[in-house]
Amino acid sequence: MPHHPDTATPEGIPVPSGEAAGAARLPCVLLKHGEVFLRGRNRDRFEQLLRNNLRGALRGIGGSTWIQDARSVTVLGGEVPVAELVERARRVFGFNSVQPAVRVPSTVEAITSEAVEALAAVADGRPGVSFAVRVRRRDKSFPLTSSRFEAEVGAHIRRALGLPVNLTAPDVTLHVEIDRPGTYLTWVRHPGQGGLPVGSSGRALVLLSGGYDSPVAAYRAMRRGLACDFVHFTGAPYTDASSVYKAYALARELNRYQPAGRLHVIALGHAQKQLAVAGAGRLQVVAQRRLMVRAAGALARETGAAALVTGDSLGQVASQTLANMAAVDEVAALPVLRPLVGWDKQEIIDEAHRIGTAEISVLPDEDCCKLLAPERVSTAAHVPRMERVERRLEMDDLMAELVRKAQCMRPGDEDAEDGPPATTELPAPREPRHCPAP
C-alpha cells in the first residue's frame, strides 16, 4: 500500500507505514471506493477530491487522524474512536462501504490470533453465531492461497470457539485482506453514500424551499459530484422570517455531506406583488417561478455555478406539469437540473428521512410560493400572455435589485471548531452582503 505524506491531517500526524504500520494491532477504518474506480485517466483527480472531502468531514473531530491510500481503498485511522471515524466517513460521497477494521502484521499467526479474538467478541453477545471467512490476497508473496487460508482460519476459529461454519448464509462474515504493510480484518460493513466526490462535476445553485423536495434534490445533485450553494426566496416583507430559519437549518444539514456551501436569501415579496398587479392571475405561480429562475441565474453567474437545481417532480403539483416546466426553462440562463423529476412524493419523503432533512421540512413556515397564489393554478401556462405581463415590469432592473440585496450566509461556519453541527439554535439572519466566489 503506497504511502502518501500529503494525506496527513492538518494536525500534521504522519500516516503509519512500512514496518511501523505492521508492528502491532491497529484499529482503523477501510473505505471502499465506488464509481471513482471507473474514472480512467481522470481517476487521480477524483481520488484527490475524495481525500480532500474526507479531510473536510474530519474537521473538528477532536483528535489527530491519518489517511492512507491503496488502489480503490482508503484507510482511515487516528487517535479517535473508530465509531466516530465511521460516522464522519459515512457522510462522504464516493465511498461505497465503510468498514471498521483491525490491521495486524501479515503473518499466519497474527492473522489467525486476531480472527479468533474478533469472532470471540461477536459470539460473546450472540452465542452460537455462524460464520464464514473470506480472504483476499493482494500480496501474492503471502505463502498460502486465498482458499487454503480461508480453510485454515476457519478451522482455527472452530477449534478455539466451537462456532458453526455456514458458507452460504453466515450470521457474520470475517473478511481478511492481505497486503504488504499489514493485513486488515473486518466483520462489519456500513453502506457508504456512493456516488461521485463532491466537486468532481462542478458547482450548482440549488433553489431551496422549506419543503421535502428541494433538500432531497440537493442531496442527489451532490451525490453526482456537484458542489452546491443554495438560494432561498422569501415573501418578505409580506411574510415572516420562519422560512429563512428553515432554509438555514436545511442548508446546514446538507452541508454535512459536502464542503460547506453558501446560502443566499432573496426577498421576492415586492416582485410577487408587482406580478399580481400586472395581471398575472392564474399564471401567478408559474410567473413567480420564472422570476426565481431568472434571479437564480443572475446570482449563479456571480458565484461560479454552472447549473440550477430544483426539486420539481413531474405532475406532483399543478405548477410542475411538463408545459409549466417548459415555460420556466424558457427564461433560464443556465441548465435547470431536476433530479427528482420521476420520483413520487412518498419516495421523496422516505429519502428526506434517510438523509436527515425531513424533521426540518415538516416545521411550519410562511412559504413565499403561497403568497398571492390564485385559487386555481394554470396547468399549461400561456407563455405569450406571461410575456405580456412581464413586459409591464422593468425586468432587468428588478433582477439586478433582487441580486444586489441578497443576503449571504455560511451555514455551519459557527461550528467549525466542533465539526458539523446539529440543526438547532440557529443564528439570526445577517445583514445583506455578498459571499465571494469560491
Side-chain angles (χ1 to χ4, degrees):
M1 183 177 292
H3 169 51
H4 295 274
D6 67 316
T7 60
T9 62
E11 292 87 341
I13 304 300
V15 179
S17 60
E19 294 181 3
R25 182 182 188 275
L26 180 68
C28 56
V29 182
L30 289 185
L31 309 175
K32 301 297 181 71
H33 298 185
E35 293 182 55
V36 172
F37 180 70
L38 305 173
R39 294 295 109 181
R41 286 182 236 177
N42 292 320
R43 184 165 157 182
D44 287 347
R45 181 176 72 86
F46 278 69
E47 289 183 339
Q48 182 62 53
L49 278 169
L50 199 54
R51 288 193 294 272
N52 291 344
N53 293 344
L54 180 58
R55 287 194 198 96
L58 295 172
R59 185 181 63 169
I61 199 170
S64 62
T65 57
W66 51 263
I67 300 169
Q68 192 173 29
D69 300 329
R71 187 171 180 83
S72 302
V73 178
T74 295
V75 186
L76 173 62
E79 299 173 359
V80 177
V82 165
E84 292 187 30
L85 295 175
V86 167
E87 197 272 332
R88 295 295 183 93
R90 289 189 69 187
R91 303 174 190 167
V92 180
F93 291 104
F95 296 121
N96 269 5
S97 67
V98 178
Q99 301 171 228
V102 175
R103 183 160 68 186
V104 298
S106 292
T107 66
V108 172
E109 295 78 12
I111 297 168
T112 53
S113 175
E114 184 62 38
V116 170
E117 186 176 334
L119 267 294
V122 173
D124 187 49
R126 301 165 64 187
V129 64
S130 64
F131 76 97
V133 177
R134 298 286 182 259
V135 173
R136 183 175 183 183
R137 192 179 60 145
R138 288 197 181 94
D139 179 10
K140 302 306 179 185
S141 67
F142 189 78
L144 301 178
T145 64
S146 296
S147 57
R148 184 178 169 189
F149 196 43
E150 286 175 354
E152 182 158 331
V153 173
H156 202 84
I157 293 169
R158 273 186 57 79
R159 287 195 300 269
L161 305 176
L163 299 178
V165 174
N166 185 335
L167 298 180
T168 55
D171 295 318
V172 59
T173 301
L174 176 66
H175 293 275
V176 180
E177 301 192 15
I178 302 171
D179 216 327
R180 283 186 190 277
T183 291
Y184 298 91
L185 291 88
T186 179
W187 52 97
V188 177
R189 180 187 182 279
H190 300 286
Q193 297 295 331
L196 298 173
V198 169
S200 61
S201 298
R203 180 169 292 274
L205 183 63
V206 180
L207 279 68
L208 185 67
S209 69
Y212 289 109
D213 303 350
S214 57
V216 174
Y219 170 88
R220 301 306 295 189
M222 293 175 196
R223 194 170 184 271
R224 298 315 304 158
L226 285 170
C228 290
D229 291 318
F230 312 97
V231 58
H232 175 70
F233 294 92
T234 79
Y238 306 114
T239 58
D240 63 26
S242 58
S243 74
V244 179
Y245 278 74
K246 278 184 70 174
Y248 190 99
L250 288 167
R252 194 163 72 173
E253 187 67 27
L254 290 164
N255 278 344
R256 292 161 63 89
Y257 297 99
Q258 67 166 1
R262 298 155 297 179
L263 171 66
H264 304 271
V265 178
I266 295 179
L268 201 66
H270 285 312
Q272 291 175 274
K273 185 174 181 180
Q274 289 181 50
L275 278 175
V277 171
R282 289 183 59 191
L283 301 175
Q284 177 77 21
V285 172
V286 182
Q288 289 173 181
R289 294 285 290 176
R290 283 162 63 100
L291 279 183
M292 292 178 186
V293 166
R294 279 189 170 104
L299 183 62
R301 285 193 292 271
E302 293 190 9
T303 60
L308 305 179
V309 176
T310 77
D312 294 343
S313 173
L314 186 61
Q316 187 177 119
V317 294
S319 63
Q320 293 175 20
T321 62
L322 187 59
N324 285 349
M325 288 182 185
V328 170
D329 286 358
E330 188 187 53
V331 299
L334 296 172
V336 179
L337 308 181
R338 296 180 171 90
L340 309 184
V341 69
W343 291 39
D344 65 38
K345 193 64 178 184
Q346 192 56 53
E347 289 174 320
I348 295 169
I349 292 173
D350 291 345
E351 182 84 336
H353 280 288
R354 189 184 70 80
I355 67 175
T357 59
E359 293 76 8
I360 304 168
S361 295
V362 76
L363 297 173
D365 70 325
E366 290 192 353
D367 183 0
C368 79
C369 292
K370 297 177 182 177
L371 180 66
L372 304 173
E375 289 187 12
R376 296 182 61 195
V377 176
S378 173
T379 58
H382 188 249
V383 173
R385 183 184 165 193
M386 267 195 301
E387 290 174 340
R388 286 196 297 274
V389 170
E390 290 168 348
R391 281 196 291 270
R392 295 167 190 161
L393 283 61
E394 297 293 336
M395 191 61 68
D396 291 342
D397 292 344
L398 179 59
M399 290 300 107
E401 183 76 357
L402 289 175
V403 173
R404 185 180 66 80
K405 290 185 176 180
Q407 286 181 293
C408 180
M409 309 175 197
R410 293 185 179 272
D413 268 10
E414 70 279 6
D415 305 281
E417 293 184 2
D418 299 321
T423 55
T424 58
E425 300 178 4
L426 305 182
R430 303 173 188 172
E431 290 302 311
R433 64 182 180 86
H434 284 303
C435 289

